[in-house]
Amino acid sequence: MFDALIDRTQEQVHAIVVEAAQAGASRETATGKIGALYTAFMNEDRIERLDALPIAADLAEIRRTSRRRVKVNSRPEWTRPFAT
C-alpha cells in the first residue's frame, strides 16, 4: 500500500515539475525557479561538459582540509544546553 502511495506521489511531483519547466514562467516566480532547476538538472550535455568545474573550489577546500590534522569538537554546538 505504501509503495503504491510513494509511486503515485512521485508521479504527481514529476508532473508538476515538468509542467513548471514547460510553462516558460519568469525565473522570479516559484514556478519559473522550479522549471529552471529541472531544466538545468536534465541538461546532460552541459553536465557532462562542465564535469566537476562548478564544485572545483569546494573539492579543493576538502582536499586541503583532509591533508592537515583537524581537531573535532567532541560536543557539537547544537548539543549544548540553552543559556541558564
Side-chain angles (χ1 to χ4, degrees):
M1 178 174 154
F2 286 109
D3 289 338
L5 186 60
I6 290 169
D7 291 343
R8 182 67 182 136
T9 301
Q10 288 177 341
E11 291 170 5
Q12 291 172 335
V13 170
H14 182 259
I16 291 167
V17 171
V18 168
E19 184 179 320
Q22 295 172 345
S26 166
R27 289 187 179 197
E28 301 299 316
T29 66
T31 300
K33 290 176 184 176
I34 293 168
L37 179 64
Y38 179 76
T39 300
F41 182 78
M42 297 304 292
N43 189 343
E44 293 180 31
D45 292 335
R46 183 169 188 262
I47 292 167
E48 291 295 325
R49 188 175 66 253
L50 291 175
D51 196 38
L53 185 62
I55 60 169
D58 295 322
L59 293 173
E61 178 64 23
I62 291 167
R63 287 184 191 105
R64 279 193 302 279
T65 302
S66 66
R67 288 191 183 122
R68 61 180 183 218
R69 186 174 219 143
V70 178
K71 182 179 179 186
V72 177
N73 185 351
S74 62
R75 188 171 181 198
E77 189 68 34
W78 55 269
T79 63
R80 293 188 180 146
F82 291 106
T84 55

